[in-house]
Amino acid sequence: MDFRAILMGVTFALMWSSAFATARIIVAHAPPLAALSLRFAISGLIAVVVARWLGQSWRLSGPQARSVLVFGLCQNALYLGLNFVAMQWVEASLAAIIAASMPLIVALLGWAFLGQRVPALGVTGLITGMAGVALIMGTRLSGGADATGIVLCIGGAIALSVATLTVRAATAGGNLLMIVGLQMLVGAVVLGVVSAFTETLLVSWSAALIAAFAYQLLIPGLAATLLWFSLVGRIGAVRASTFHFLNPFFGVAIAALLLGERIGALDVLGVVVVMAGILAVQVSRRAQAWRGAT
C-alpha cells in the first residue's frame, strides 16, 4: 500500500466520520428525512449530470440496476435515514460508534448467510469489537441515552452492512459516477415519500444549518463516496476496508470538538476495543484473501 492510498484511506475515514456531527446540527433545525431527501436529490442530480458529461450511460446491466436499487434503499434510505432520525435523541459520537461496527456486521452476515469462512483472528475481532460496542452502549444507556435512538442506529448499521455486500455487483462494468448518482436518487425518492407522510416541514433557518447542509452535500455526500470507490479500485475492497477501524476514533473526536459532547473514560476504552476488533477482522480478511490468491 503506497502513501497515496494511505492518504486516501485516512481522508475517507475523516470525511465519513464527520457526517455524524454535522447531521446532528441539521436535525436540530429541520425535519431529518426531508433534509436528507433534499441532500440526496441535489447530490444525485449533480453526479448524474457530470456522469453524462463524461460520456457515462444510465443504461445499466440487470445486476447493476438491482444493486443500485438495493444500495440506494439500504445505504441511503435505511442507514442514513434511520441515523438522521435517531440523532434527534442520541449523541453524534454514539451514532458514529454504532455505525462503525459495520465491518463487524459484514463479517458476521457473510459467515451466516454467504458461507464465508471467518479465520480465528477474525472471530476474536468480532467478539472484541462487539464487546466494545456493548460497553459503550451500556455506559450511555445508564447515563440516560435514548433506547429507541440506539435501536434505530443498530438497524441503520445492519442496513449499511447489507449495502456493503452489494458494492461489487454495483460497480462491475463501469459507469461508476452514474451509479453513485442513481443510488442517491433512489434514496431521495424513498425518503421524500416517507417524509411527506410522517413529517411537518418546519425549518429553523440559521447559518449553522446552511453550513452543515452544504458540507454534508459536498463532503460526505459526494466526495467521500467517490473517494471510497476510487480507493477500492486502487487497492481492493479488503485493504480499503481496513481504514474503517479509524472511524470510531474520528467520530468521537469530531463530535467532541464540534459539538462539545463529553467523552468519559469508559467511552475511550470502548473506542479502543472497537478499533482493535475492527482491525483484527479486517487483517484476518486480508490474510484470507491473500491466501486465496496464492
Side-chain angles (χ1 to χ4, degrees):
M1 190 182 304
D2 57 19
F3 176 77
R4 183 176 179 182
I6 294 173
L7 182 61
M8 291 171 66
V10 173
T11 302
F12 163 76
L14 188 61
M15 289 178 172
W16 190 90
S17 301
S18 68
F20 297 91
T22 49
R24 179 86 166 156
I25 295 172
I26 291 172
V27 301
H29 295 83
L33 299 184
L36 191 56
S37 176
L38 179 60
R39 183 195 121 180
F40 283 140
I42 297 173
S43 297
L45 288 173
I46 291 173
V48 168
V49 169
V50 174
R52 288 296 295 162
W53 180 71
L54 293 174
Q56 296 185 16
S57 173
W58 46 41
R59 295 182 180 179
L60 307 179
S61 65
Q64 281 183 327
R66 287 190 296 270
S67 296
V68 164
L69 289 174
V70 173
F71 204 71
L73 176 63
C74 290
Q75 173 173 290
N76 296 335
L78 289 176
Y79 160 62
L80 285 171
L82 290 173
N83 270 276
F84 263 59
V85 172
M87 276 188 285
Q88 296 175 106
W89 310 299
V90 302
E91 293 183 322
S93 56
L94 178 57
I97 291 167
I98 295 174
S101 66
M102 179 271 291
L104 305 175
I105 300 173
V106 167
L108 186 60
L109 292 178
W111 168 77
F113 297 103
L114 301 179
Q116 296 176 352
R117 180 176 172 271
V118 181
L121 179 60
V123 173
T124 302
L126 278 171
I127 296 172
T128 301
M130 292 301 183
V133 174
L135 172 63
I136 294 169
M137 287 195 299
T139 302
R140 296 297 181 90
L141 281 170
S142 64
D146 185 85
T148 301
I150 291 177
V151 170
L152 292 175
C153 288
I154 294 172
I158 294 173
L160 177 61
S161 301
V162 173
T164 301
L165 293 173
T166 72
V167 167
R168 181 175 298 179
T171 57
N175 282 342
L176 174 58
L177 186 57
M178 179 63 71
I179 289 171
V180 168
L182 291 176
Q183 54 95 358
M184 287 181 177
L185 293 179
V186 169
V189 170
V190 173
L191 291 172
V193 171
V194 176
S195 173
F197 286 97
T198 61
E199 294 181 329
T200 301
L201 193 59
L202 294 176
V203 179
S204 175
W205 292 101
S206 68
L209 171 62
I210 295 171
F213 186 84
Y215 180 86
Q216 284 252 332
L217 181 69
L218 298 175
I219 306 303
L222 281 173
T225 303
L226 292 174
L227 185 59
W228 168 251
F229 283 118
S230 298
L231 182 64
V232 170
R234 186 177 182 86
I235 63 176
V238 174
R239 287 186 174 184
S241 296
T242 305
F243 289 99
H244 278 289
F245 91 96
L246 295 172
N247 291 331
F249 169 76
F250 282 148
V252 168
I254 293 171
L257 291 172
L258 188 61
L259 303 177
E261 294 185 4
R262 297 183 62 184
I263 308 299
L266 288 179
D267 290 320
V268 175
L269 176 60
V271 166
V272 172
V273 171
V274 172
M275 290 175 65
I278 293 172
L279 184 59
V281 168
Q282 301 295 17
V283 169
S284 72
R285 291 176 62 191
R286 178 178 174 182
Q288 187 178 37
W290 182 82
R291 285 195 296 270
T294 57

